[in-house]
């Protein structure tokens, strides 16, 4: 029987979840997401549809993914681009991870036996297992009886087949295109396995479906007392104070401080606009200087992979504080013990733990040494203002583990307990945004910029109809606050009804009269004059912020331009458009950690992976005929970083005109000497005509992702060309063109006239 699977667009980003969403797996299919998708959960099928999202319109189309052996035409570029924007490559390039797994697999498999690999990816762990098996049995086992690899994501399964072939392993490993928990004994496999190897761990450990996968494996796929790699995982946490982390979720306090008359989170409904109470993966080492540690690291949960895990657990922790301070967050990470003898470890701990005594008892911990994107630390935000604590106090923390995640409750603070309850009541119309978005909305400069620009614009004329085209509840409130006469129509393509419920409940606090705001919840393309009661629009405005698009490349927010173009027939002649202009900028940067993580693969623990580079989006050392992807990152979280040039203007997007092809060229003159690994791109949004107010989303900002284009080969740069060595350069040129149909930016860089990508 043929199974069909519909992949749906997964709207909220930065979360590697499938499991938490029932039935069909919600996988981010558009090229704009670059999370690591795990390969365990997507349902296998011989034919599947995938939803492709058009970043410029928000429209989506179904494309068919078909299994056509050795032919990539049908799969086409969409899948390729998709995998290229995930952290797959980075994961395979994590030498410490690979080495730890190889050593543990070698220690664990001591005789020929049946091994399963859950979420096999390119088949690296399966190949390691097959190789060991050959060694211990002294012969080549080529009937695929011993190693079974489960990989449900079809494009990845095809890539695995290619990699196995390159390594002459295709006869030794059986691929089952199913997620492991759909596998039936007697149908897909014929005997229980003695050994399970698997790497379906995300930064939070459980987000890629570890618990249900392990449960099913123990119920169906494995013998009693199986051997597993990894052997055990332990989650650690630490209490911290950090005003930056505080800003990422406590909008109420920020708003009190800004005190500009706007109330996105009025008193009494503080959590009506906030973050989802969950752990957020972040590179905490990047903020180590501004974090005050309030406790020693403490152990939270342990998971033994060789036992069937529980679906639900709760524990009470009593933690002694080591300093006075306010507990704003709990930072957590995990340490993996890969082998049963306790010799091979891998840790995702932040930098500052390296020297900590706690971990010294554990030999050979690896993972500290390298920055990587695929595993970060996790932050759990303590609600509201946090919890004031004195040194040597015993803090009561409850940790709750369920099937997909771990959450916390600080029990020793009555105010916090209350807020949990408020949160529950607000459940239905609460808007959850990402922490960075909350940070933006609490930012005084950001609010002032929009308030000033909107005020100036509104003063300039008689505005009857103002249209907010994106998902900005912020701008809707700004307009209603500033103009008592204009009718405000908000589209909210992503937030939809949630936004109107939200606006109703904050109307009073913002002094917004009934009926001032109309929420359409429609697509811009289907808007007609009827929706506007026959009136033309005098002002259109956006931040731009598209809910669910936060992980996108900066220029994908030019969706605003596209929509403004679609709206053309509905606009009055002297319509004001805000922002009125976007300026694409770039600067040269030294990004050694990021560059290493996106390096082309070749040999990984003895297995050739070079055939996977294009599909997985390698950048560094890429073959000259190939073009690596431009990827979105929070540059400030990319390990060691240094700006090597000023920001240069590449091109301008003029929103008073319809969307069109744009082309730009710039000379980037290096201002620092160092090694340039690539260029960072972002958009400065010009709010008013006189361009006095600009919102910059460049690398100095922590709230926006930038687009990063890495060089194939890093170059030495030196600002003073006279003293330049032969292999150094003092400037470079960048050409870029924006394609209004695809929303893509094509970037070319000429280093001393020899093109390098
Ligand atoms: C990435 O892979 C390349 C080639 O296999 C290797 O030289 C490089 O050291 C790897 N990077 C890291 C961070 O391990
Ligand atoms: C915490 O402090 C109390 C009292 O000083 C002490 O008895 C207890 O052992 C400490 N706990 C830990 C985990 O250090
Ligand atoms: C697990 O806990 C998280 C955080 O409390 C919650 O958001 C999620 O819905 C829970 N998942 C399940 C399956 O209960
Ligand atoms: C506005 O920006 C342009 C470049 O985009 C610049 O040439 C001009 O001087 C700026 N005007 C003001 C008033 O800042």
């Amino acid at each position: 029987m043929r199974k069909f699977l519909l992949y749906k667009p997964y709207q909220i980003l930065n979360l590697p979840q499938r499991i938490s969403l029932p039935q069909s797996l919600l996988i981010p299919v558009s090229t704009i997401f670059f999370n690591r998708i795990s390969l365990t959960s997507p349902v296998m099928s011989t034919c599947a549809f995938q939803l492709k999202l058009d970043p410029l319109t928000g429209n989506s189309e179904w494309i068919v993914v078909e299994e056509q052996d050795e032919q990539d035409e049908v799969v086409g570029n969409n899948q390729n681009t998709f995998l290229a924007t995930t952290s797959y490559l980075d994961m395979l390039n994590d030498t410490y991870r690979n080495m730890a797994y190889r050593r543990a697999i070698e220690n664990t498999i001591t005789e020929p036996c049946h091994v399963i690999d859950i979420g096999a990816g390119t088949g690296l762990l399966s190949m390691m297992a097959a190789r060991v098996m050959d060694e211990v049995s002294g012969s080549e086992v080529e009937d695929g009886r011993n190693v079974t690899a489960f990989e449900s994501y079809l494009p990845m399964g095809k890539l695995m087949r290619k990699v196995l072939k390159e390594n002459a392993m295709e006869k030794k490993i059986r691929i089952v295109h199913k997620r492991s928990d759909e596998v039936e004994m007697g149908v897909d496999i014929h005997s229980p396995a003695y050994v399970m190897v698997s790497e379906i761990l995300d930064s939070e450990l459980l987000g890629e479906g570890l618990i249900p996968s392990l449960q099913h494996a123990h119920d169906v796929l494995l013998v009693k007392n199986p051997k597993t790699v990894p052997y055990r995982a332990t989650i650690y946490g630490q209490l911290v104070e950090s005003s930056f982390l505080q800003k990422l979720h406590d909008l109420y306090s920020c708003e009190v401080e800004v005190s500009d008359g706007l109330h996105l989170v009025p008193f009494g409904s503080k959590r009506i606009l906030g973050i989802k109470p969950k752990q957020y993966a972040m590179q905490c080492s990047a903020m180590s200087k501004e974090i005050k540690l309030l406790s020693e690291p403490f152990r939270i949960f342990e998971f033994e992979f060789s036992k069937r895990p529980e679906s639900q657990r709760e524990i009470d922790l009593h933690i002694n504080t080591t300093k006075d301070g306010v507990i704003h967050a709990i930072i957590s990470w995990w340490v993996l013990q890969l082998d049963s003898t306790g010799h091979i470890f891998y840790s995702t701990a932040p930098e500052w733990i390296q020297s900590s005594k706690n971990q010294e008892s554990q030999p050979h911990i690896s993972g500290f040494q390298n920055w990587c994107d695929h595993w970060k630390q996790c932050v759990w935000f303590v609600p509201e203002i946090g919890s004031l604590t004195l040194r040597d106090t015993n803090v009561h923390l409850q940790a709750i583990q369920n099937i997909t995640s771990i959450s916390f409750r600080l029990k020793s603070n009555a105010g916090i307990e209350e807020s949990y309850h408020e949160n529950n009541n607000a459940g239905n119309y609460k808007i959850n945004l990402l922490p960075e978005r909350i940070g933006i909305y609490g930012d005084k400069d950001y609010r002032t910029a929009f308030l000033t620009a909107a005020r100036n614009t509104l003063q300039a004329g008689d505005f009857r109809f103002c249209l907010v085209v994106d998902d900005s509840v912020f701008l809707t409130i700004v307009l209603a606050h500033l103009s008592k006469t204009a009718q405000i129509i908000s589209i909210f393509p992503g937030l939809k009804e949630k936004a109107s419920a939200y606006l109703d409940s904050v109307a009073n606090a913002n002094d917004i009269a009934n009926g001032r705001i109309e929420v359409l919840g429609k697509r811009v393309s289907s808007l007609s004059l009827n929706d506007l009661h026959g009136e033309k629009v005098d002002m259109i405005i956006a931040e731009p912020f598209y809910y669910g698009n936060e992980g996108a490349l900066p220029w994908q927010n030019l969706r605003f331009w596209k929509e403004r173009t679609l709206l053309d027939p509905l606009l009055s002649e002297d319509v004001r458009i805000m922002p009125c202009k976007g300026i694409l900028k770039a600067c040269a940067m030294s990004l050694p950690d990021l560059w290493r993580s996106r390096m082309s693969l070749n040999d990984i623990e003895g297995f050739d992976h070079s055939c996977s580079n294009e599909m997985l989006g390698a950048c560094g050392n890429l073959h000259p005929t190939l073009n690596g992807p431009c990827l979105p990152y929070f540059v400030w979280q990319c390990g060691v970083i240094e700006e090597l040039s000023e920001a240069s203007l590449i091109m301008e997007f003029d929103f008073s005109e319809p969307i069109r092809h744009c082309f730009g060229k710039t000379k980037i003159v290096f201002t620092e000497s160092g090694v340039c690994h690539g260029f960072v791109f972002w958009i400065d949004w010009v709010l008013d005509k006189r361009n006095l107010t600009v919102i910059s989303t460049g690398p100095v900002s922590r709230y926006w992702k930038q687009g990063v284009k890495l060089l194939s080969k890093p170059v030495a740069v030196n600002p003073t060309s006279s003293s330049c060595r032969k292999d150094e350069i003092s400037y470079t040129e960048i050409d870029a063109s924006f394609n209004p149909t695809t929303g893509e930016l094509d970037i070319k860089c000429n280093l001393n006239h020899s093109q390098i990508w």
Side-chain angles (χ1 to χ4, degrees):
M1 199 185 71
R2 269 195 155 195
K3 264 209 210 129
F4 289 84
L5 161 72
L6 304 187
Y7 291 99
K8 293 187 181 162
Y10 180 51
Q11 283 296 316
I12 306 167
L13 308 187
N14 275 338
L15 327 164
Q17 48 264 88
R18 310 138 293 280
I19 293 285
S20 50
L21 304 160
Q23 306 280 330
S24 52
L25 281 235
L26 307 190
I27 286 219
V29 195
S30 100
T31 58
I32 58 178
F33 310 107
F34 77 120
N35 291 309
R36 167 178 177 190
I37 41 151
S38 136
L39 306 173
T40 44
S41 332
V43 184
M44 124 71 190
S45 52
T46 44
C47 172
F49 290 99
Q50 238 184 357
L51 198 64
K52 188 179 154 246
L53 209 66
D54 180 338
L56 285 189
T57 58
N59 290 338
S60 43
E61 67 176 308
W62 293 103
I63 50 173
V64 178
V65 187
E66 239 179 304
E67 166 112 274
Q68 271 204 345
D69 271 13
E70 317 310 327
Q71 265 193 8
D72 282 343
E73 288 87 50
V74 176
V75 167
N77 274 328
N78 294 309
Q79 270 66 41
N80 290 353
T81 325
F82 174 50
L83 278 175
T85 55
T86 64
S87 305
Y88 249 101
L89 183 93
D90 169 57
M91 177 182 85
L92 286 169
N93 225 338
D94 184 343
T95 309
Y96 301 102
R97 180 199 85 117
N98 302 340
M99 213 156 60
Y101 265 96
R102 179 193 39 84
R103 290 177 49 215
I105 288 172
E106 286 169 0
N107 289 355
T108 304
I109 299 175
T110 48
E111 56 188 355
C113 61
H114 186 198
V115 179
I116 54 170
D117 179 357
I118 296 181
T122 59
L124 178 62
L125 304 187
S126 293
M127 291 192 287
M128 288 173 176
R131 181 174 59 190
V132 178
M133 211 98 72
D134 280 350
E135 274 161 24
V136 293
S137 68
S139 67
E140 301 247 327
V141 189
E142 297 232 310
D143 56 6
R145 229 177 339 151
N146 283 345
V147 183
T148 312
F150 302 122
E151 176 48 70
S152 60
Y153 188 58
L154 213 51
M156 189 49 117
K158 294 175 70 173
L159 179 61
M160 171 165 27
R161 201 154 285 160
K162 222 163 156 186
V163 173
L164 296 187
K165 214 166 190 176
E166 289 289 314
N167 292 283
M169 282 275 174
E170 75 272 25
K171 296 212 179 87
K172 302 184 184 186
I173 294 158
R174 224 181 111 232
I175 304 176
V176 176
H177 280 307
K178 274 193 177 180
R179 62 187 227 192
S180 71
D181 58 5
E182 292 219 317
V183 166
E184 289 169 65
M185 185 56 70
V187 179
D188 308 298
I189 61 170
H190 299 282
S191 64
Y194 286 84
V195 178
M196 180 195 84
V197 298
S198 180
E199 200 272 74
I200 48 169
L201 316 171
D202 68 349
S203 298
E204 197 186 348
L205 197 72
L206 308 184
E208 291 187 5
L210 178 65
I211 302 280
S213 301
L214 275 184
Q215 288 177 338
H216 176 268
H218 283 289
D219 292 346
V220 177
L221 307 175
L222 294 168
V223 298
K224 290 257 162 324
N225 304 316
K227 292 181 178 179
T228 61
V229 177
Y231 180 75
R232 171 190 293 147
T234 309
I235 297 184
Y236 290 88
Q238 199 162 14
L239 307 178
V240 303
E241 176 181 295
S242 154
S243 54
F244 172 66
L245 291 178
Q246 176 64 5
K247 286 192 184 111
L248 292 185
H249 72 99
D250 184 15
L251 185 52
Y252 179 78
S253 301
C254 291
E255 213 163 46
V256 166
E257 219 165 279
V258 174
S259 119
D260 53 10
L262 303 179
H263 301 282
L264 272 68
V265 280
F267 183 75
S269 38
K270 292 183 194 173
R271 292 173 67 80
I272 190 163
L273 181 75
I275 57 165
K276 205 170 169 197
K278 63 182 278 292
Q279 296 199 74
Y280 290 89
M282 292 182 85
Q283 301 282 4
C284 293
S285 303
M287 42 186 152
S288 58
K289 289 200 186 72
E290 55 202 281
I291 279 178
K292 182 168 163 191
L293 304 172
L294 300 179
S295 76
E296 292 291 325
F298 48 88
R299 200 179 278 247
I300 304 171
F301 284 115
E302 224 169 68
F303 297 87
E304 304 270 347
F305 287 63
S306 59
K307 301 198 171 75
R308 190 185 192 280
E310 294 162 64
S311 301
Q312 178 95 28
R313 270 196 286 178
E314 263 185 46
I315 53 156
D316 288 294
L317 298 163
H318 295 274
I319 300 144
N320 291 342
T321 52
T322 52
K323 285 201 182 94
D324 298 350
V326 181
I327 307 168
H328 286 139
I330 295 150
I331 289 178
S332 69
W333 63 89
W334 45 257
V335 175
L336 211 55
Q337 179 188 325
L338 286 112
D339 64 334
S340 60
T341 57
H343 285 89
I344 306 162
F345 291 89
Y346 183 103
S347 167
T348 63
E351 242 169 40
W352 65 78
I353 298 299
Q354 264 183 90
S355 48
S356 153
K357 282 183 226 130
N358 259 42
Q359 316 258 332
E360 254 168 34
S361 55
Q362 302 179 330
H364 312 300
I365 290 199
S366 56
F368 287 134
Q369 299 88 336
N370 60 323
W371 178 90
C372 65
D373 182 56
H374 67 111
W375 283 330
K376 304 169 180 134
Q377 294 78 46
C378 279
V379 176
W380 191 82
F381 298 97
V382 174
E384 302 203 3
I385 55 167
S387 176
L388 183 68
T389 180
L390 297 174
R391 190 201 151 111
D392 293 326
T393 311
N394 196 266
V395 171
H396 182 186
L397 181 72
Q398 200 172 45
I400 305 130
Q401 174 239 308
N402 68 15
I403 203 154
T404 50
S405 66
I406 289 164
S407 54
F408 299 97
R409 259 172 181 232
L410 211 48
K411 301 291 277 186
S412 42
N413 183 312
I416 286 171
E417 273 299 294
E418 264 169 42
S419 85
Y420 284 116
H421 292 276
E422 188 192 356
N423 181 23
N424 287 343
N425 298 338
N428 288 337
Y429 51 90
K430 184 175 186 245
I431 293 183
N432 286 318
L433 301 177
L434 292 182
E436 287 79 15
R437 198 43 29 207
I438 296 297
I440 291 169
Y441 286 155
D443 187 81
K444 188 171 197 304
D445 295 341
Y446 191 79
R447 290 166 73 114
T448 311
F450 271 105
L451 264 170
T452 315
R455 185 178 287 124
N456 289 345
T457 306
L458 287 169
Q459 272 165 4
D462 174 24
F463 291 91
R464 275 168 310 169
F465 270 95
C466 299
L467 195 60
V468 182
V469 292
D470 61 351
D471 280 303
S472 181
V473 289
F474 166 66
L475 286 181
T476 305
I477 293 174
V478 166
L479 288 180
H481 173 81
L482 291 176
S483 162
K484 300 297 169 206
T485 53
Q487 175 72 20
I488 296 146
I489 298 180
S490 292
I491 299 203
F492 297 125
L495 288 172
K496 300 203 167 95
E497 313 80 46
K498 264 191 186 172
S500 57
Y502 165 80
L503 288 168
D504 281 347
S505 54
V506 301
N508 261 345
N510 289 285
D511 204 14
I512 301 172
N514 253 353
R516 289 288 317 288
I517 300 170
E518 198 178 329
V519 174
L520 285 184
K522 262 194 160 179
R523 292 194 164 283
V524 159
S525 54
S526 63
L527 226 55
S528 72
L529 220 47
N530 276 347
D531 296 308
L532 308 174
H533 317 290
E535 302 265 357
K536 292 218 165 176
V537 174
D538 301 310
M539 178 175 184
I540 68 175
I541 185 167
E543 297 186 49
F545 157 57
Y546 291 96
Y547 181 74
N549 218 19
E550 294 90 336
L553 287 162
W555 42 93
Q556 288 172 337
N557 282 322
L558 292 175
R559 173 174 168 181
F560 166 66
W561 197 10
K562 181 105 168 187
E563 296 191 331
R564 168 256 169 278
T565 307
L566 288 171
L567 287 169
D568 226 24
L570 306 179
L571 306 180
S572 74
E573 252 165 44
D574 53 355
V575 64
R576 296 299 175 96
I577 297 166
M578 181 185 300
C580 59
K581 213 159 67 170
I583 303 175
L584 182 74
K585 291 195 169 169
C587 77
M589 286 191 80
S590 178
L591 299 158
D593 290 327
L594 184 63
W595 191 85
R596 256 197 308 275
S597 83
R598 293 307 294 194
M599 234 165 123
S600 294
L601 307 166
N602 48 66
D603 176 90
I604 301 180
E605 301 300 320
F607 299 106
D608 187 353
H609 272 64
S610 46
C611 69
S612 54
N613 283 322
E614 188 176 13
M615 189 149 167
L616 296 182
C619 302
N621 288 346
L622 198 60
H623 192 272
T625 56
L626 301 176
N627 189 14
C630 192
L631 298 167
Y633 289 101
F634 285 113
V635 165
W636 72 276
Q637 291 189 40
C638 287
V640 173
I641 56 167
E642 194 196 346
E643 289 180 29
L644 299 175
S645 78
E646 313 251 297
S648 300
L649 182 154
I650 299 181
M651 65 176 99
E652 295 195 354
F653 310 107
D654 181 355
F655 304 144
S656 68
E657 315 222 314
I659 192 166
R660 59 179 176 84
H661 247 283
C662 296
F663 179 80
K665 199 177 189 141
T666 191
K667 181 169 166 180
I668 291 195
V669 178
F670 297 105
T671 51
E672 306 289 328
S673 50
V675 177
C676 175
H677 295 93
F679 298 89
V680 173
F681 296 82
W682 68 93
I683 292 182
D684 282 356
W685 303 95
V686 181
L687 299 190
D688 60 12
K689 270 254 147 50
R690 289 168 299 167
N691 63 353
L692 299 172
T693 335
V694 178
I695 303 286
S696 178
T697 63
V700 289
S701 158
R702 290 185 168 187
Y703 298 135
W704 284 275
K705 285 188 172 176
Q706 292 80 36
V708 181
K709 180 81 181 174
L710 293 165
L711 293 169
S712 167
K713 298 256 186 281
V715 266
V717 301
N718 190 332
T720 45
S721 40
S722 53
S723 67
C724 253
R725 299 196 318 262
K726 256 203 203 113
D727 55 346
E728 290 177 337
I729 57 168
S730 61
Y731 71 91
T732 180
E733 273 168 8
I734 289 185
D735 287 11
S737 69
F738 170 70
N739 180 335
T741 313
T742 60
E744 274 162 28
L745 191 74
D746 188 28
I747 302 162
K748 291 199 169 52
C749 166
N750 305 296
L751 290 161
N752 280 357
H753 310 294
S754 66
Q755 193 154 309
I756 53 170
W757 66 47

